[in-house]
Amino acid sequence: MSDRPAQGKAVLGKGTRVTGKSRDRLQSQLKKQYEAGASIRSLARETGRSYGFIHNVLVESHVQLRSRGGANRLNAATAYTK
């Protein structure tokens, strides 16, 4: 598996400012992909931006962020009973 951005995806240069209509388009694209199940890390990898940048863009677009972890994480109540 490569750490390079997927081909055909928009790659934003690190540190490049994204403002105005281009930021609005990026927000809607990222929101759609995140709500379809993509992780913040995968979106960061695809766009060539940092985790923090993607997180901030999603927060700005009022996305309900998923909790940390995944399906394999136990909650605290059941962790000690097994």
Side-chain angles (χ1 to χ4, degrees), residues 37-62:
S39 68
I40 294 176
R41 291 196 191 284
S42 69
L43 293 172
R45 201 170 25 253
E46 288 177 13
T47 59
R49 296 303 294 237
S50 70
Y51 178 98
F53 176 84
I54 301 300
H55 181 274
N56 288 338
V57 168
L58 291 173
V59 168
E60 288 171 8
S61 63
H62 306 288

Side-chain angles (χ1 to χ4, degrees), residues 13-30:
K14 185 172 181 162
T16 304
R17 290 198 183 272
V18 183
T19 59
K21 290 183 181 182
S22 61
R23 190 170 185 98
D24 293 340
R25 280 192 302 272
L26 180 64
Q27 282 179 338
S28 66
Q29 288 174 342
L30 293 175

